[in-house]
Amino acid sequence: MANIVYLDDEKCLTDIFELVFEDSAHTIITFNHENDAIKHCQQSPPDIFFVDYRLESMLGDAVAHQLPHGIAVVLVTGDLKIESDFIFSHIINKPFKLDELVNVVEKLGANKHEN
């Protein structure tokens, strides 16, 4: 199964993400601070990385640019207008539906293991 990291400065959203996947076979690690997530991913790259667009001290695409190559990066945002040069694997709009999270994980996790 997939190793997944979720970064959002809103703890309630990382808590929800953990609850959605608590009974799955996926390994889930959540972060509420950008530097902690970047450091973790540089040391132990996940298969899938979910990132909020507007974080406490930087934008999600700036975080994504600091990650190792080969990670599927999913942008989670409530912003209607995003200007980014980063190519995201998927974009999820807030407020998101829980089944959308599951579907994205299943799709990207399956694609990762097919390669």
Side-chain angles (χ1 to χ4, degrees):
M1 301 277 45
N3 292 316
I4 303 167
V5 169
Y6 186 99
L7 168 61
D8 199 309
D9 54 354
E10 295 182 60
K11 183 162 177 10
C12 63
L13 292 178
T14 55
D15 289 348
I16 289 169
F17 194 87
E18 288 176 346
L19 286 172
V20 169
F21 292 100
E22 72 180 348
D23 292 329
S24 75
H26 303 294
T27 301
I28 307 296
I29 300 174
T30 61
F31 293 93
N32 299 112
H33 301 285
E34 302 90 335
N35 292 333
D36 295 338
I38 292 167
K39 186 176 182 179
H40 171 82
C41 291
Q42 289 173 341
Q43 293 173 352
S44 181
D47 299 314
I48 306 169
F49 183 84
F50 285 81
V51 61
D52 183 25
Y53 184 67
R54 293 206 184 274
L55 297 162
E56 189 172 316
S57 64
M58 65 177 67
L59 296 176
D61 55 349
V63 172
H65 278 295
Q66 296 183 53
L67 301 177
H69 293 289
I71 298 171
V73 180
V74 178
L75 181 66
V76 181
T77 184
D79 290 329
L80 297 177
K81 185 175 182 180
I82 296 170
E83 294 183 24
S84 175
D85 63 348
F86 190 86
I87 306 297
F88 293 95
S89 300
H90 194 83
I91 297 175
I92 295 177
N93 293 309
K94 289 181 181 177
F96 51 76
K97 295 181 179 173
L98 301 182
D99 61 337
E100 184 176 13
L101 293 176
V102 173
N103 290 339
V104 168
V105 166
E106 295 307 317
K107 177 184 171 195
L108 294 175
N111 287 345
K112 181 72 176 179
H113 294 290
E114 287 175 5
N115 297 331

